[in-house]
Amino acid sequence: MRIYNGEDRQERRRKHYITPIIFLLAELTIVWLILSIIMVDFNITKWNIFAKVSLLIFGIFFLGKTFKIYARQKNYKREK
């Protein structure tokens, strides 16, 4: 059993730059695959305007989410 002595200790992590980009690319790929299945064509240039606009809207949403993740991260120094 741990006794709480009034000190708040949090895990300090380094900033991650690659991981949010990987998640952004994964989210965009999933949206592209779903829209490709709906449009029955994997070529984006052959899609109608509704599919292109929805891909753009999802892209802006996921990009904004990624920027919020970057803004939320703090730059902690390593403890010795």
Side-chain angles (χ1 to χ4, degrees), residues 18-78:
I18 302 295
T19 309
I21 291 175
I22 291 172
F23 276 100
L24 171 68
L25 293 175
E27 290 168 342
L28 288 175
T29 304
I30 289 173
V31 169
W32 172 71
L33 284 173
I34 291 171
L35 287 173
S36 295
I37 291 170
I38 293 170
M39 299 304 297
V40 193
D41 194 7
F42 288 101
N43 191 358
I44 296 176
T45 58
K46 295 181 181 178
W47 290 358
N48 62 12
I49 193 72
F50 173 74
K52 290 178 184 177
V53 169
S54 61
L55 182 64
L56 179 69
I57 289 171
F58 277 111
I60 291 171
F61 173 73
F62 292 139
L63 194 63
K65 193 170 84 168
T66 304
F67 283 137
K68 283 183 183 179
I69 290 170
Y70 282 136
R72 193 175 60 211
Q73 291 180 358
K74 295 182 173 82
N75 196 12
Y76 290 116
K77 296 180 181 177
R78 286 186 172 226

